[in-house]
Amino acid sequence: MFQNSIGELAALGTALCWTMIGIVFERAGKKVGSLAVGYIRLVIGFLFISTYALFTRGMFLPLDASSSNWIWLSISGFIGFFLGDMFLFQSYLEVGVRVSCLIMALSPPITAILGFIFLNEKLSGLSILGMIITILGVAIVIMSKDDVEHKVKINHPIKGLTYAFLGSIGQALGLILSKIGMGDYDVIAATQIRIIAGFIGFNLLFIIMKKFKDIKVALKNKEAMLDITFGAFFGPFVGVVLSLISIKYTSTGVASTISSITPITIIPFSIFILKEKIKPKEIIGAFVTVIGVAILFLQ
């Protein structure tokens, strides 16, 4: 039974990885800042995944990549691992990891739309229905009715929601560009290139903003470094490997759907670890969002 379900279990493991790294990165970000977290976790994550590549591919660096691989995957990494994650990590501090994960569930619909525009991928009526349901689920959580003025209002900081939305766009666009640039190239090596590009992006930002002193401060914070190392291990490394296993042993639709259930898996962590008070409508909204993503993929 285990062998027959290995793909689904790997996808579930992927979702749990995304859940855990969100919590530890939020916690670390509150101690040392979101930019320092984003920078350091790329360095540590690269070391983990490069060591894995050395044993599985015989190469520590992606030296066999073509110029086309480097160009497109670098753009993808700059947008996804730098810009997208920079906004996402800041949203953790503004609205919390639970709401950020919910907004990030908009990434699959955005990816589908971008795939339709740039890759001529099909967008069926069922896909559009899935998108609408996903958006509805998000709206249930972030919006409420004012009992006094009887108007619909957004009950979370606009800035934080905007950061999370920009993060979801970055992830979606990064995936599309990865698909263009990767072709039949090794996924682990492709991830290495994306991380390198993200790292270069952070370095340019830190040079412009003169923020390298923040890195020194973060490196001295043992609790933050423990969280960042944990997140780097289960994010760019374990999460990526599990996602590859899930795609190998089950359909892409099933794998993508299961790995996108973070708005649900984050709920018990938010209650018991982050000590958040969650309203019933927020739980309902999370389930509706995941149902929408499932309809989008499982057609």
Side-chain angles (χ1 to χ4, degrees):
M1 183 177 179
F2 172 78
Q3 291 182 339
N4 293 335
S5 305
I6 189 170
E8 290 79 1
L9 290 172
L12 179 60
T14 304
L16 291 174
C17 283
W18 301 154
T19 301
M20 290 187 293
I21 65 173
I23 291 173
V24 296
F25 284 154
E26 177 187 348
R27 196 162 57 188
K30 289 178 179 178
K31 295 184 179 77
V32 299
S34 61
L35 291 179
V37 172
Y39 184 97
I40 296 171
R41 66 102 198 194
L42 280 184
V43 176
I44 298 174
F46 183 77
L47 292 175
F48 280 133
I49 200 167
S50 296
T51 301
Y52 178 79
L54 179 62
F55 285 100
T56 58
R57 303 184 69 240
M59 279 186 261
F60 187 78
L61 296 173
L63 301 177
D64 57 340
S66 67
S67 57
S68 177
N69 291 143
W70 274 102
I71 292 170
W72 286 105
L73 291 172
S74 293
I75 297 172
S76 168
F78 185 86
I79 293 173
F81 278 117
F82 170 50
L83 293 177
D85 283 356
M86 180 178 65
F87 287 123
L88 176 62
F89 289 176
Q90 187 59 35
S91 75
Y92 288 163
L93 305 185
E94 299 287 343
V95 295
V97 64
R98 180 173 56 85
V99 175
S100 296
C101 281
L102 186 76
I103 301 298
M104 286 299 290
L106 294 174
S107 184
I110 294 172
T111 302
I113 293 172
L114 292 175
F116 173 76
I117 295 173
F118 295 108
L119 302 178
N120 294 319
E121 294 181 345
K122 293 181 179 179
L123 199 59
S124 66
L126 203 57
S127 298
I128 296 172
L129 175 63
M131 293 178 194
I132 294 172
I133 293 174
T134 302
I135 295 170
L136 175 63
V138 173
I140 289 173
V141 176
I142 69 172
M143 303 183 78
S144 62
K145 187 176 181 181
D146 192 314
D147 294 331
V148 178
E149 299 182 3
H150 301 289
K151 294 181 180 179
V152 175
K153 65 176 184 178
I154 297 176
N155 50 22
H156 293 280
I158 297 294
K159 183 168 70 171
L161 296 176
T162 302
Y163 284 149
F165 182 66
L166 289 173
S168 67
I169 293 177
Q171 185 180 75
L173 191 54
L175 284 174
I176 292 295
L177 291 171
S178 290
K179 191 169 183 178
I180 295 173
M182 188 163 55
D184 57 357
Y185 188 55
D186 184 82
V187 179
I188 294 295
T191 303
Q192 287 181 284
I193 295 175
R194 296 186 71 216
I195 292 177
I196 290 170
F199 178 69
I200 293 172
F202 271 106
N203 272 288
L204 292 174
L205 179 66
F206 274 61
I207 291 172
I208 294 171
M209 297 180 66
K210 298 180 180 179
K211 283 279 188 177
F212 281 106
K213 61 181 180 180
D214 291 357
I215 302 297
K216 295 181 180 179
V217 173
L219 291 173
K220 294 178 182 178
N221 191 312
K222 293 181 180 179
E223 291 183 356
M225 284 303 300
L226 185 62
D227 282 337
I228 295 171
T229 302
F230 181 90
F233 180 78
F234 283 99
F237 177 45
V238 176
V240 169
V241 173
L242 285 176
S243 66
L244 297 178
I245 293 173
S246 68
I247 292 172
K248 181 177 180 179
Y249 288 99
T250 189
S251 68
T252 304
V254 171
S256 300
T257 300
I258 297 175
S259 61
S260 297
I261 65 171
T262 48
I264 294 175
T265 56
I266 194 69
I267 291 174
F269 289 91
S270 298
I271 295 173
F272 296 109
I273 295 179
L274 302 179
K275 307 299 180 183
E276 292 183 352
K277 293 182 179 179
I278 301 178
K279 298 176 182 178
K281 74 157 194 164
E282 293 178 319
I283 297 175
I284 293 171
F287 275 91
V288 171
T289 300
V290 172
I291 290 171
V293 173
I295 292 174
L296 176 61
F297 283 123
L298 300 179
Q299 50 180 301

